[in-house]
């Protein structure tokens, strides 16, 4: 890449940032008009205009992200050339592809013939010297037959042949380099398996209907074909996330049919966004389709620009043969941007030891304790999440309890760490939890039961106040600025009174509340704190458990006294009164509210017509510090001593020392 191209990218990113600001300003104007409008046709028109602006802003963010990736490739080219030993060995002027596939059943293998390098395609020698044979699974054998070229030779890399699976040291070494192989190969070929269950028909239909404004005119047979296609094991395999996320070019092959990965990805996005009710023969097929569609959504969302915690959340239901790969596979995705996260691969360690080393390394490298959000029902030590058991725990919650605050972790011994925390209350009582796996009807029943129990228990406060507290605890963080508390209160009251037809007159925000509620509530229950707050917390929480906001972990944690000096983590919780740094900075001044936009958190004062990324509760920066807006969203900071090229994402005004100087009751707590 030329310096001219780098300059073009920077100029385009500056223009995009300006456009995003303009679009956001237009959104704010329309949202104010929507709040004041009374006539439904006008409100509907305003909603459509806002929706178009959001789509435009998303397109600009997507273009910005793609430019960021391209820019990163330009700047990391020298490092890539040094690290890409595989390319030097396999691609000295010759094209090669990497295979992404499922091993499948190995009980009835096929045999392939092996030759020395003298017999390989890049050798000038005509000699073919047989050196042995290798047994491979039938799925790989079918892939090799399908992908071989009749008239010319083809270089194809696949792990079970190119890595000696019986040599643990070689396997560890190659897993360490796997990310670089898939990042720099000419093409990744995703092999779904032989033709079956109308798979060719499914790929044809997926490729044809990808416009958001066109309904799916599929027959029952076509819907069944799509459902069976996305039910294939390839879509559920953990390592596929890395192989596809890192690919510069990819094609999906199933039998004799093939489709480009970008086209299949766009079709999947279209299915997720439309949320159609497919024509399937029974509820079992429909439930399987929904589950597989959610899995497919996690596959297309996993990319090399995400944080480790986001990627872990998206791979929680993925399949792998060795649970240590739940770390090594995730680290591979992040390796595109930061090779420091690639800890040495060691399959001799226990699964828990691998996870423990990952937590410590990740926390120290990024000053980030967000891994603690996954410590639901974890085995000892409780601060190490059981990544192999995440599918049996609730989905992560969203909050900004300590946004841009830096974590400080101290390892006391192999099972004990020390972190800073701020006490935010104690649980007084718990109510019936929602099951981890349940239907929408069961969720509604759980909410009704919770509301009845809360109203019967807390008689010192009136019903309206308790309904409002319950709704604020259940309301997803992303919707807290949009939804009408009064409308949702009426909705919950109608449920409690036995109403069933409750989706006729609700707004878009209320509809989103109903859609997202199951994901938040499953496996959790509302809790009442001693000071009368209602929170959404882990099902294992009980009376006397403490709530702490821990800098570096965006979601508050529920802790239980393990002994006189230490706590164990019970799980994360959503506390509506501490969702926006209130534990660190207190409540927002009168007239101010927050507004979430993509990665940005805006502070808005409607009376003064102000919208800013700067928190009004924060004073001036310390001497020698400067603020910088990231083109990917959010703020960063740098000191005069270190310069603009050494940005940090932690606000120096929220360092532990600065918080203590302001009188914030920060304390050291030990976790076991």
């Amino acid at each position: 890449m030329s310096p001219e191209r780098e300059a073009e990218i920077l100029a385009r990113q500056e223009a995009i940032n300006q456009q995003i600001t303009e679009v956001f300003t237009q959104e704010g104007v329309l949202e104010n008009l929507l709040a004041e409008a009374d006539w439904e046709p006008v409100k509907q028109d305003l909603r459509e205009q806002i929706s178009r602006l959001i789509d435009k802003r998303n397109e600009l963010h997507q273009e910005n992200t793609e430019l960021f990736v391209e820019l990163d490739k330009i700047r990391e080219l020298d490092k890539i050339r040094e690290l890409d030993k595989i390319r030097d060995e396999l691609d000295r002027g010759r094209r090669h592809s990497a295979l992404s596939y499922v091993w499948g059943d190995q009980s009835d293998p096929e045999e392939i013939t092996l030759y020395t390098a003298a017999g390989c395609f890049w050798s000038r020698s005509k000699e073919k010297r047989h050196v042995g044979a290798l047994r491979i699974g039938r799925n790989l054998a079918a892939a090799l037959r399908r992908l071989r070229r009749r008239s010319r030779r083809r270089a194809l890399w696949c792990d079970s042949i190119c890595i000696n699976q019986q040599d643990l040291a070689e396997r560890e070494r190659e897993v360490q380099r796997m990310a670089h192989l898939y990042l720099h190969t000419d093409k990744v070929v995703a092999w779904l398996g032989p033709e079956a269950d109308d798979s060719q028909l499914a790929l044809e239909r997926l490729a044809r209907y990808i416009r958001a404004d066109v309904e799916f005119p599929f027959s029952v047979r076509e819907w069944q074909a799509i459902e069976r296609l996305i039910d294939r094991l390839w879509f559920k395999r953990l390592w596929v996330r890395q192989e596809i996320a890192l690919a510069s070019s990819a094609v999906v092959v199933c039998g004799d049919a093939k489709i480009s990965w970008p086209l299949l990805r766009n079709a999947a996005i279209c299915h997720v966004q439309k949320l159609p009710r497919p024509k399937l023969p029974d509820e079992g097929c429909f439930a399987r389709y929904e589950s597989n569609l959610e899995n497919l959504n996690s596959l297309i969302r996993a990319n090399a620009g995400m944080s480790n915690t986001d990627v872990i959340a998206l791979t929680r239901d993925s399949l792998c043969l060795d649970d240590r790969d739940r770390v090594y596979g995730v680290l591979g995705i992040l390796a595109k941007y930061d090779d420091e996260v690639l800890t040495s691969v060691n399959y001799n360690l226990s699964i828990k030891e691998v996870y423990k080393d990952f937590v410590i390394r990740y926390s120290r490298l990024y000053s980030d304790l967000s891994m603690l959000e996954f410590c639901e029902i974890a085995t000892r030590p409780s601060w190490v999440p059981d990544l192999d058991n995440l599918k049996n725990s609730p989905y992560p919650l969203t909050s900004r309890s300590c946004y841009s605050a830096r974590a400080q972790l101290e390892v006391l011994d192999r099972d004990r760490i020390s972190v800073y925390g701020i006490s935010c209350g104690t649980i007084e009582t718990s109510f019936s939890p929602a099951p981890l796996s349940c239907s929408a009807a069961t969720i509604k029943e759980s909410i009704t039961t919770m509301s009845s129990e809360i109203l019967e228990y807390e008689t010192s406060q009136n019903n309206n106040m308790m309904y409002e507290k319950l709704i604020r605890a259940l309301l997803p963080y992303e919707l807290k600025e949009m939804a009408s508390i009064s409308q949702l209160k009426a909705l919950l009251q109608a449920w409690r009174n036995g109403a069933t037809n409750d989706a006729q007159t609700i707004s878009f925000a209320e509809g989103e509340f109903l859609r997202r509620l199951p994901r938040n509530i499953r496996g959790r229950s509302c809790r009442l704190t001693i000071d009368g707050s209602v929170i959404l917390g882990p099902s294992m929480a009980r009376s006397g458990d403490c709530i702490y906001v821990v800098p570096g972990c965006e979601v508050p944690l529920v802790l239980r006294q393990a002994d006189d000096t230490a706590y164990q983590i019970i799980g994360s919780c959503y506390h509506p009164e501490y969702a926006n740094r209130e534990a660190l900075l207190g409540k927002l001044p009168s007239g101010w509210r927050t507004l979430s936009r993509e990665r940005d958190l805006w502070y808005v004062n409607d009376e003064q017509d102000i919208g800013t990324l700067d928190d009004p509760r924060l004073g001036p920066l310390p001497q020698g510090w400067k603020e910088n807006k990231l083109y990917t969203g959010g703020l960063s900071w740098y000191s005069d001593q270190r310069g603009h090229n050494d940005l940090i994402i932690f606000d120096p005004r929220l360092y532990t020392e600065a918080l203590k100087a302001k009188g914030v009751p920060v304390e050291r707590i030990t976790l076991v």
Side-chain angles (χ1 to χ4, degrees), residues 330-347:
V330 172
L331 291 176
I333 294 176
L334 283 191
K336 182 173 182 179
Y337 290 105
D338 194 342
D339 289 294
E340 289 185 80
V341 300
L342 270 175
T343 183
S344 59
V345 176
N346 187 349
Y347 284 100

mmCIF file with all atom_site columns, all heavy atoms in Angstrom, residues 330-347:
data_model
loop_
_atom_site.group_PDB
_atom_site.id
_atom_site.type_symbol
_atom_site.label_atom_id
_atom_site.label_alt_id
_atom_site.label_comp_id
_atom_site.label_asym_id
_atom_site.label_entity_id
_atom_site.label_seq_id
_atom_site.pdbx_PDB_ins_code
_atom_site.Cartn_x
_atom_site.Cartn_y
_atom_site.Cartn_z
_atom_site.occupancy
_atom_site.B_iso_or_equiv
_atom_site.pdbx_formal_charge
_atom_site.auth_seq_id
_atom_site.auth_comp_id
_atom_site.auth_asym_id
_atom_site.auth_atom_id
_atom_site.pdbx_PDB_model_num
ATOM 1   N N   . VAL A 1 330 ? -10.338 -17.666 20.737 1.00 0.00 ? 330 VAL A N   1
ATOM 2   C CA  . VAL A 1 330 ? -10.667 -16.246 20.904 1.00 0.00 ? 330 VAL A CA  1
ATOM 3   C C   . VAL A 1 330 ? -9.422  -15.387 20.775 1.00 0.00 ? 330 VAL A C   1
ATOM 4   O O   . VAL A 1 330 ? -9.432  -14.327 20.138 1.00 0.00 ? 330 VAL A O   1
ATOM 5   C CB  . VAL A 1 330 ? -11.346 -16.013 22.271 1.00 0.00 ? 330 VAL A CB  1
ATOM 6   C CG1 . VAL A 1 330 ? -11.506 -14.530 22.548 1.00 0.00 ? 330 VAL A CG1 1
ATOM 7   C CG2 . VAL A 1 330 ? -12.704 -16.695 22.300 1.00 0.00 ? 330 VAL A CG2 1
ATOM 8   N N   . LEU A 1 331 ? -8.311  -15.833 21.352 1.00 0.00 ? 331 LEU A N   1
ATOM 9   C CA  . LEU A 1 331 ? -7.068  -15.071 21.252 1.00 0.00 ? 331 LEU A CA  1
ATOM 10  C C   . LEU A 1 331 ? -6.632  -14.949 19.807 1.00 0.00 ? 331 LEU A C   1
ATOM 11  O O   . LEU A 1 331 ? -6.079  -13.935 19.391 1.00 0.00 ? 331 LEU A O   1
ATOM 12  C CB  . LEU A 1 331 ? -5.970  -15.756 22.077 1.00 0.00 ? 331 LEU A CB  1
ATOM 13  C CG  . LEU A 1 331 ? -6.146  -15.723 23.598 1.00 0.00 ? 331 LEU A CG  1
ATOM 14  C CD1 . LEU A 1 331 ? -5.047  -16.524 24.263 1.00 0.00 ? 331 LEU A CD1 1
ATOM 15  C CD2 . LEU A 1 331 ? -6.149  -14.312 24.106 1.00 0.00 ? 331 LEU A CD2 1
ATOM 16  N N   . GLY A 1 332 ? -6.896  -15.971 19.015 1.00 0.00 ? 332 GLY A N   1
ATOM 17  C CA  . GLY A 1 332 ? -6.534  -15.929 17.607 1.00 0.00 ? 332 GLY A CA  1
ATOM 18  C C   . GLY A 1 332 ? -7.252  -14.829 16.859 1.00 0.00 ? 332 GLY A C   1
ATOM 19  O O   . GLY A 1 332 ? -6.695  -14.196 15.964 1.00 0.00 ? 332 GLY A O   1
ATOM 20  N N   . ILE A 1 333 ? -8.498  -14.580 17.190 1.00 0.00 ? 333 ILE A N   1
ATOM 21  C CA  . ILE A 1 333 ? -9.243  -13.519 16.522 1.00 0.00 ? 333 ILE A CA  1
ATOM 22  C C   . ILE A 1 333 ? -8.626  -12.164 16.843 1.00 0.00 ? 333 ILE A C   1
ATOM 23  O O   . ILE A 1 333 ? -8.458  -11.313 15.975 1.00 0.00 ? 333 ILE A O   1
ATOM 24  C CB  . ILE A 1 333 ? -10.729 -13.554 16.937 1.00 0.00 ? 333 ILE A CB  1
ATOM 25  C CG1 . ILE A 1 333 ? -11.393 -14.834 16.435 1.00 0.00 ? 333 ILE A CG1 1
ATOM 26  C CG2 . ILE A 1 333 ? -11.471 -12.353 16.379 1.00 0.00 ? 333 ILE A CG2 1
ATOM 27  C CD1 . ILE A 1 333 ? -12.824 -15.005 16.870 1.00 0.00 ? 333 ILE A CD1 1
ATOM 28  N N   . LEU A 1 334 ? -8.265  -11.948 18.102 1.00 0.00 ? 334 LEU A N   1
ATOM 29  C CA  . LEU A 1 334 ? -7.685  -10.659 18.482 1.00 0.00 ? 334 LEU A CA  1
ATOM 30  C C   . LEU A 1 334 ? -6.259  -10.497 17.989 1.00 0.00 ? 334 LEU A C   1
ATOM 31  O O   . LEU A 1 334 ? -5.753  -9.393  17.940 1.00 0.00 ? 334 LEU A O   1
ATOM 32  C CB  . LEU A 1 334 ? -7.703  -10.502 19.997 1.00 0.00 ? 334 LEU A CB  1
ATOM 33  C CG  . LEU A 1 334 ? -9.047  -10.153 20.626 1.00 0.00 ? 334 LEU A CG  1
ATOM 34  C CD1 . LEU A 1 334 ? -8.840  -9.783  22.071 1.00 0.00 ? 334 LEU A CD1 1
ATOM 35  C CD2 . LEU A 1 334 ? -9.746  -9.033  19.899 1.00 0.00 ? 334 LEU A CD2 1
ATOM 36  N N   . ALA A 1 335 ? -5.615  -11.592 17.604 1.00 0.00 ? 335 ALA A N   1
ATOM 37  C CA  . ALA A 1 335 ? -4.218  -11.509 17.187 1.00 0.00 ? 335 ALA A CA  1
ATOM 38  C C   . ALA A 1 335 ? -4.031  -10.636 15.963 1.00 0.00 ? 335 ALA A C   1
ATOM 39  O O   . ALA A 1 335 ? -2.940  -10.159 15.681 1.00 0.00 ? 335 ALA A O   1
ATOM 40  C CB  . ALA A 1 335 ? -3.673  -12.911 16.895 1.00 0.00 ? 335 ALA A CB  1
ATOM 41  N N   . LYS A 1 336 ? -5.101  -10.390 15.201 1.00 0.00 ? 336 LYS A N   1
ATOM 42  C CA  . LYS A 1 336 ? -4.977  -9.529  14.023 1.00 0.00 ? 336 LYS A CA  1
ATOM 43  C C   . LYS A 1 336 ? -4.512  -8.138  14.412 1.00 0.00 ? 336 LYS A C   1
ATOM 44  O O   . LYS A 1 336 ? -3.815  -7.465  13.665 1.00 0.00 ? 336 LYS A O   1
ATOM 45  C CB  . LYS A 1 336 ? -6.322  -9.455  13.298 1.00 0.00 ? 336 LYS A CB  1
ATOM 46  C CG  . LYS A 1 336 ? -6.295  -8.627  12.029 1.00 0.00 ? 336 LYS A CG  1
ATOM 47  C CD  . LYS A 1 336 ? -7.597  -8.743  11.282 1.00 0.00 ? 336 LYS A CD  1
ATOM 48  C CE  . LYS A 1 336 ? -7.551  -7.937  9.981  1.00 0.00 ? 336 LYS A CE  1
ATOM 49  N NZ  . LYS A 1 336 ? -8.786  -8.034  9.214  1.00 0.00 ? 336 LYS A NZ  1
ATOM 50  N N   . TYR A 1 337 ? -4.892  -7.679  15.606 1.00 0.00 ? 337 TYR A N   1
ATOM 51  C CA  . TYR A 1 337 ? -4.556  -6.322  16.015 1.00 0.00 ? 337 TYR A CA  1
ATOM 52  C C   . TYR A 1 337 ? -3.500  -6.268  17.116 1.00 0.00 ? 337 TYR A C   1
ATOM 53  O O   . TYR A 1 337 ? -2.827  -5.263  17.264 1.00 0.00 ? 337 TYR A O   1
ATOM 54  C CB  . TYR A 1 337 ? -5.819  -5.603  16.496 1.00 0.00 ? 337 TYR A CB  1
ATOM 55  C CG  . TYR A 1 337 ? -6.763  -5.306  15.373 1.00 0.00 ? 337 TYR A CG  1
ATOM 56  C CD1 . TYR A 1 337 ? -7.919  -6.039  15.209 1.00 0.00 ? 337 TYR A CD1 1
ATOM 57  C CD2 . TYR A 1 337 ? -6.467  -4.320  14.458 1.00 0.00 ? 337 TYR A CD2 1
ATOM 58  C CE1 . TYR A 1 337 ? -8.774  -5.784  14.156 1.00 0.00 ? 337 TYR A CE1 1
ATOM 59  C CE2 . TYR A 1 337 ? -7.317  -4.060  13.402 1.00 0.00 ? 337 TYR A CE2 1
ATOM 60  C CZ  . TYR A 1 337 ? -8.467  -4.795  13.262 1.00 0.00 ? 337 TYR A CZ  1
ATOM 61  O OH  . TYR A 1 337 ? -9.300  -4.538  12.215 1.00 0.00 ? 337 TYR A OH  1
ATOM 62  N N   . ASP A 1 338 ? -3.377  -7.301  17.890 1.00 0.00 ? 338 ASP A N   1
ATOM 63  C CA  . ASP A 1 338 ? -2.454  -7.220  19.019 1.00 0.00 ? 338 ASP A CA  1
ATOM 64  C C   . ASP A 1 338 ? -1.901  -8.604  19.319 1.00 0.00 ? 338 ASP A C   1
ATOM 65  O O   . ASP A 1 338 ? -2.557  -9.430  19.942 1.00 0.00 ? 338 ASP A O   1
ATOM 66  C CB  . ASP A 1 338 ? -3.176  -6.671  20.252 1.00 0.00 ? 338 ASP A CB  1
ATOM 67  C CG  . ASP A 1 338 ? -2.194  -6.247  21.338 1.00 0.00 ? 338 ASP A CG  1
ATOM 68  O OD1 . ASP A 1 338 ? -1.029  -6.686  21.278 1.00 0.00 ? 338 ASP A OD1 1
ATOM 69  O OD2 . ASP A 1 338 ? -2.588  -5.501  22.229 1.00 0.00 ? 338 ASP A OD2 1
ATOM 70  N N   . ASP A 1 339 ? -0.688  -8.860  18.856 1.00 0.00 ? 339 ASP A N   1
ATOM 71  C CA  . ASP A 1 339 ? -0.087  -10.174 19.052 1.00 0.00 ? 339 ASP A CA  1
ATOM 72  C C   . ASP A 1 339 ? 0.291   -10.425 20.502 1.00 0.00 ? 339 ASP A C   1
ATOM 73  O O   . ASP A 1 339 ? 0.596   -11.559 20.869 1.00 0.00 ? 339 ASP A O   1
ATOM 74  C CB  . ASP A 1 339 ? 1.148   -10.323 18.166 1.00 0.00 ? 339 ASP A CB  1
ATOM 75  C CG  . ASP A 1 339 ? 0.770   -10.446 16.702 1.00 0.00 ? 339 ASP A CG  1
ATOM 76  O OD1 . ASP A 1 339 ? 0.147   -11.448 16.348 1.00 0.00 ? 339 ASP A OD1 1
ATOM 77  O OD2 . ASP A 1 339 ? 1.078   -9.521  15.929 1.00 0.00 ? 339 ASP A OD2 1
ATOM 78  N N   . GLU A 1 340 ? 0.254   -9.404  21.339 1.00 0.00 ? 340 GLU A N   1
ATOM 79  C CA  . GLU A 1 340 ? 0.593   -9.602  22.747 1.00 0.00 ? 340 GLU A CA  1
ATOM 80  C C   . GLU A 1 340 ? -0.424  -10.491 23.458 1.00 0.00 ? 340 GLU A C   1
ATOM 81  O O   . GLU A 1 340 ? -0.118  -11.086 24.478 1.00 0.00 ? 340 GLU A O   1
ATOM 82  C CB  . GLU A 1 340 ? 0.676   -8.254  23.463 1.00 0.00 ? 340 GLU A CB  1
ATOM 83  C CG  . GLU A 1 340 ? 1.880   -7.426  23.063 1.00 0.00 ? 340 GLU A CG  1
ATOM 84  C CD  . GLU A 1 340 ? 1.972   -6.163  23.907 1.00 0.00 ? 340 GLU A CD  1
ATOM 85  O OE1 . GLU A 1 340 ? 2.455   -6.262  25.047 1.00 0.00 ? 340 GLU A OE1 1
ATOM 86  O OE2 . GLU A 1 340 ? 1.548   -5.112  23.423 1.00 0.00 ? 340 GLU A OE2 1
ATOM 87  N N   . VAL A 1 341 ? -1.660  -10.554 22.939 1.00 0.00 ? 341 VAL A N   1
ATOM 88  C CA  . VAL A 1 341 ? -2.661  -11.362 23.624 1.00 0.00 ? 341 VAL A CA  1
ATOM 89  C C   . VAL A 1 341 ? -2.469  -12.845 23.338 1.00 0.00 ? 341 VAL A C   1
ATOM 90  O O   . VAL A 1 341 ? -3.110  -13.687 23.973 1.00 0.00 ? 341 VAL A O   1
ATOM 91  C CB  . VAL A 1 341 ? -4.099  -10.952 23.229 1.00 0.00 ? 341 VAL A CB  1
ATOM 92  C CG1 . VAL A 1 341 ? -4.349  -9.516  23.575 1.00 0.00 ? 341 VAL A CG1 1
ATOM 93  C CG2 . VAL A 1 341 ? -4.361  -11.198 21.748 1.00 0.00 ? 341 VAL A CG2 1
ATOM 94  N N   . LEU A 1 342 ? -1.596  -13.174 22.369 1.00 0.00 ? 342 LEU A N   1
ATOM 95  C CA  . LEU A 1 342 ? -1.378  -14.585 22.059 1.00 0.00 ? 342 LEU A CA  1
ATOM 96  C C   . LEU A 1 342 ? -0.442  -15.196 23.089 1.00 0.00 ? 342 LEU A C   1
ATOM 97  O O   . LEU A 1 342 ? 0.758   -15.291 22.898 1.00 0.00 ? 342 LEU A O   1
ATOM 98  C CB  . LEU A 1 342 ? -0.795  -14.734 20.657 1.00 0.00 ? 342 LEU A CB  1
ATOM 99  C CG  . LEU A 1 342 ? -1.821  -14.875 19.539 1.00 0.00 ? 342 LEU A CG  1
ATOM 100 C CD1 . LEU A 1 342 ? -1.131  -14.894 18.199 1.00 0.00 ? 342 LEU A CD1 1
ATOM 101 C CD2 . LEU A 1 342 ? -2.651  -16.123 19.707 1.00 0.00 ? 342 LEU A CD2 1
ATOM 102 N N   . THR A 1 343 ? -1.023  -15.598 24.190 1.00 0.00 ? 343 THR A N   1
ATOM 103 C CA  . THR A 1 343 ? -0.238  -16.287 25.209 1.00 0.00 ? 343 THR A CA  1
ATOM 104 C C   . THR A 1 343 ? 0.227   -17.632 24.661 1.00 0.00 ? 343 THR A C   1
ATOM 105 O O   . THR A 1 343 ? -0.335  -18.156 23.712 1.00 0.00 ? 343 THR A O   1
ATOM 106 C CB  . THR A 1 343 ? -1.093  -16.499 26.474 1.00 0.00 ? 343 THR A CB  1
ATOM 107 O OG1 . THR A 1 343 ? -0.281  -17.107 27.475 1.00 0.00 ? 343 THR A OG1 1
ATOM 108 C CG2 . THR A 1 343 ? -2.284  -17.384 26.193 1.00 0.00 ? 343 THR A CG2 1
ATOM 109 N N   . SER A 1 344 ? 1.275   -18.183 25.218 1.00 0.00 ? 344 SER A N   1
ATOM 110 C CA  . SER A 1 344 ? 1.772   -19.463 24.724 1.00 0.00 ? 344 SER A CA  1
ATOM 111 C C   . SER A 1 344 ? 0.723   -20.544 24.901 1.00 0.00 ? 344 SER A C   1
ATOM 112 O O   . SER A 1 344 ? 0.047   -20.621 25.924 1.00 0.00 ? 344 SER A O   1
ATOM 113 C CB  . SER A 1 344 ? 3.056   -19.846 25.468 1.00 0.00 ? 344 SER A CB  1
ATOM 114 O OG  . SER A 1 344 ? 2.798   -19.932 26.853 1.00 0.00 ? 344 SER A OG  1
ATOM 115 N N   . VAL A 1 345 ? 0.571   -21.360 23.871 1.00 0.00 ? 345 VAL A N   1
ATOM 116 C CA  . VAL A 1 345 ? -0.420  -22.441 23.892 1.00 0.00 ? 345 VAL A CA  1
ATOM 117 C C   . VAL A 1 345 ? 0.160   -23.629 24.647 1.00 0.00 ? 345 VAL A C   1
ATOM 118 O O   . VAL A 1 345 ? 1.277   -24.069 24.372 1.00 0.00 ? 345 VAL A O   1
ATOM 119 C CB  . VAL A 1 345 ? -0.797  -22.836 22.449 1.00 0.00 ? 345 VAL A CB  1
ATOM 120 C CG1 . VAL A 1 345 ? -1.751  -24.017 22.451 1.00 0.00 ? 345 VAL A CG1 1
ATOM 121 C CG2 . VAL A 1 345 ? -1.412  -21.648 21.729 1.00 0.00 ? 345 VAL A CG2 1
ATOM 122 N N   . ASN A 1 346 ? -0.586  -24.143 25.603 1.00 0.00 ? 346 ASN A N   1
ATOM 123 C CA  . ASN A 1 346 ? -0.099  -25.253 26.423 1.00 0.00 ? 346 ASN A CA  1
ATOM 124 C C   . ASN A 1 346 ? -1.272  -26.179 26.744 1.00 0.00 ? 346 ASN A C   1
ATOM 125 O O   . ASN A 1 346 ? -2.066  -25.900 27.642 1.00 0.00 ? 346 ASN A O   1
ATOM 126 C CB  . ASN A 1 346 ? 0.546   -24.728 27.702 1.00 0.00 ? 346 ASN A CB  1
ATOM 127 C CG  . ASN A 1 346 ? 1.218   -25.828 28.511 1.00 0.00 ? 346 ASN A CG  1
ATOM 128 O OD1 . ASN A 1 346 ? 1.028   -27.020 28.232 1.00 0.00 ? 346 ASN A OD1 1
ATOM 129 N ND2 . ASN A 1 346 ? 1.993   -25.449 29.511 1.00 0.00 ? 346 ASN A ND2 1
ATOM 130 N N   . TYR A 1 347 ? -1.360  -27.288 26.011 1.00 0.00 ? 347 TYR A N   1
ATOM 131 C CA  . TYR A 1 347 ? -2.446  -28.240 26.225 1.00 0.00 ? 347 TYR A CA  1
ATOM 132 C C   . TYR A 1 347 ? -2.192  -29.176 27.401 1.00 0.00 ? 347 TYR A C   1
ATOM 133 O O   . TYR A 1 347 ? -3.027  -30.025 27.702 1.00 0.00 ? 347 TYR A O   1
ATOM 134 C CB  . TYR A 1 347 ? -2.686  -29.055 24.951 1.00 0.00 ? 347 TYR A CB  1
ATOM 135 C CG  . TYR A 1 347 ? -3.421  -28.274 23.879 1.00 0.00 ? 347 TYR A CG  1
ATOM 136 C CD1 . TYR A 1 347 ? -2.732  -27.707 22.813 1.00 0.00 ? 347 TYR A CD1 1
ATOM 137 C CD2 . TYR A 1 347 ? -4.792  -28.093 23.942 1.00 0.00 ? 347 TYR A CD2 1
ATOM 138 C CE1 . TYR A 1 347 ? -3.402  -26.980 21.834 1.00 0.00 ? 347 TYR A CE1 1
ATOM 139 C CE2 . TYR A 1 347 ? -5.467  -27.371 22.971 1.00 0.00 ? 347 TYR A CE2 1
ATOM 140 C CZ  . TYR A 1 347 ? -4.765  -26.824 21.923 1.00 0.00 ? 347 TYR A CZ  1
ATOM 141 O OH  . TYR A 1 347 ? -5.436  -26.100 20.958 1.00 0.00 ? 347 TYR A OH  1
#
